[in-house]
Amino acid sequence: MGLMLRHMVGIERTLAESPTRFRPLLYLPDRDKERPEAEAAAERAPPEATAWCEGYMAGVKLRDDEWQPLYDAQEARDWIFAIEALAFGEHDPEFAEWIDDNEKRASLVDELPVAAVLIYRFWRERRRTPDTRGDRTRREAPDAARKARQRLH
């Protein structure tokens, strides 16, 4: 538990004090052509960033109601889109078009550090200001805003 808390504090410190240094820890399978077992395991592994994004979204789902303000804020929905697309794209047609080739997927992976920093700042600012909750649900957020969003960079 202590190790996990130290890791959490380290991530928070990086996000707060050195945001340009933040990089999510992404699993990249070993693609050693000399070792057939490594190559076979790499073929079965999820695409880059999928596991990290699935874990992030699992955390969001644990506190779905508390994350609603992020989805209610127009610009913030755009920040979490890359994480959602990489987490759900293999199973959800809404996101499939965003990860259907390596270039699109790589672009979303490149957005992850910026998205994480912006989401962190969103919550940091909310902790500083009085609670204001919207009354729309995540499902009511316009899909067009997600599809036509601007890139984070």
Side-chain angles (χ1 to χ4, degrees), residues 16-27:
E17 298 171 9
S18 306
T20 58
R21 294 184 61 216
F22 176 77
R23 298 286 178 270
L25 295 173
L26 304 179
Y27 171 75

Side-chain angles (χ1 to χ4, degrees), residues 67-137:
W67 277 79
Q68 191 60 47
L70 185 101
Y71 286 91
D72 290 340
Q74 180 66 39
E75 72 282 357
R77 282 196 312 259
D78 294 342
W79 304 333
I80 203 162
F81 180 85
I83 300 168
E84 289 178 319
L86 290 164
F88 304 135
E90 301 289 325
H91 311 288
D92 187 337
E94 178 184 350
F95 298 107
E97 71 181 83
W98 292 94
I99 63 159
D100 61 2
D101 70 40
N102 290 338
E103 191 173 309
K104 289 178 184 178
R105 178 179 285 282
S107 175
L108 291 172
V109 170
D110 289 344
E111 290 182 20
L112 293 178
V114 175
V117 168
L118 293 172
I119 292 168
Y120 169 77
R121 288 178 179 169
F122 174 85
W123 291 115
R124 185 181 64 189
E125 289 302 314
R126 280 192 61 86
R127 285 192 302 264
R128 291 180 183 167
T129 59
D131 188 25
T132 55
R133 298 194 187 269
D135 52 357
R136 277 194 320 187
T137 67

Side-chain angles (χ1 to χ4, degrees), residues 46-62:
E48 180 182 10
T50 298
W52 187 89
C53 293
E54 286 174 348
Y56 194 102
M57 292 309 299
V60 170
K61 294 293 180 199
L62 287 174

